[in-house]
């Protein structure tokens, strides 16, 4: 089941500028353009794919303890509707807000400050999300040259 209802758009759409995959929500350009015309089952399939990618990616970059620590930070970054989301989705959104608001990570970091570390971690997660989305697109929609 998808984690949220409605559009996964976060208002950072890059498909308008020619990207095949949105850098904000990781939907494909055709999914963004046709979203309002999709049946609920089609929307649910897209949301499910994105949720699976996010869960897998967050688990690759964060330990279970770090995920829990980020989830505990949800109230401090004014994250709502946490009961509707997976721990990994909450952790990602908290990390995104910490990075945007230039706040440090909730765990000790080695060299550098937690603010820089939060931004760097978010960039690595976002890069992998793009890579996973691109790989899925290549497997599902690209037609091999003849």
């Amino acid at each position: 089941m998808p984690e949220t209802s409605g559009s996964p758009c976060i208002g950072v759409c890059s498909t308008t500028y020619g990207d095949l995959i949105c850098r904000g929500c990781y939907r494909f350009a055709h999914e963004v353009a046709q979203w309002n015309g999709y049946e609920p089952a089609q929307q649910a399939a897209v949301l499910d794919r994105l949720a699976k990618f996010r869960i897998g990616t967050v688990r690759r970059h964060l330990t279970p303890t770090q995920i829990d620590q980020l989830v505990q930070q949800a109230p401090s970054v004014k994250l709502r509707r946490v009961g509707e989301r997976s721990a990994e989705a909450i952790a990602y959104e908290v990390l995104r807000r910490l990075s945007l608001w230039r706040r440090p990570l909730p765990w000790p970091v080695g060299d550098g400050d937690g603010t820089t570390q939060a931004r760097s971690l978010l960039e690595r997660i976002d890069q992998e999300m793009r890579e996973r989305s691109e790989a899925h697109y290549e497997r599902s929609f690209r037609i091999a040259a003849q």
Side-chain angles (χ1 to χ4, degrees):
M1 280 309 282
E3 296 180 333
T4 61
S5 59
S7 173
C9 179
I10 63 167
V12 187
C13 190
S14 64
T15 61
T16 312
Y17 303 107
D19 283 350
L20 180 63
I21 297 168
C22 177
R23 294 178 182 268
C25 68
Y26 304 105
R27 287 179 295 167
F28 307 132
H30 68 272
E31 293 170 336
V32 171
Q34 298 170 7
W35 186 257
N36 290 332
Y38 277 9
E39 295 292 325
Q42 291 172 297
Q43 290 180 352
V46 172
L47 293 171
D48 188 51
R49 180 190 79 231
L50 297 173
K52 287 177 182 173
F53 287 175
R54 172 138 310 121
I55 287 169
T57 302
V58 167
R59 285 181 182 168
R60 279 186 27 82
H61 291 273
L62 296 171
T63 67
T65 300
Q66 290 171 328
I67 291 170
D68 289 342
Q69 289 174 325
L70 287 169
V71 168
Q72 291 171 11
Q73 294 285 314
S76 72
V77 298
K78 299 176 178 30
L79 186 59
R80 299 183 197 144
R81 298 183 355 230
V82 294
E84 301 173 12
R85 304 176 189 195
S86 70
E88 293 83 1
I90 296 167
Y92 174 82
E93 184 58 29
V94 170
L95 180 61
R96 192 176 75 78
R97 291 179 185 201
L98 291 176
S99 179
L100 288 171
W101 297 350
R102 301 185 192 282
R103 288 193 185 166
L105 293 168
W107 56 81
V109 294
D111 297 335
D113 64 60
T115 303
T116 304
Q117 297 292 341
R119 191 172 24 253
S120 175
L121 182 56
L122 182 65
E123 287 171 1
R124 290 192 309 269
I125 290 171
D126 284 342
Q127 178 61 36
E128 185 172 325
M129 283 290 293
R130 278 190 293 280
E131 290 169 359
R132 285 177 180 234
S133 291
E134 288 170 1
H136 181 80
Y137 186 87
E138 291 293 325
R139 282 190 313 271
S140 303
F141 298 105
R142 289 276 188 197
I143 299 172
Q146 304 220 2

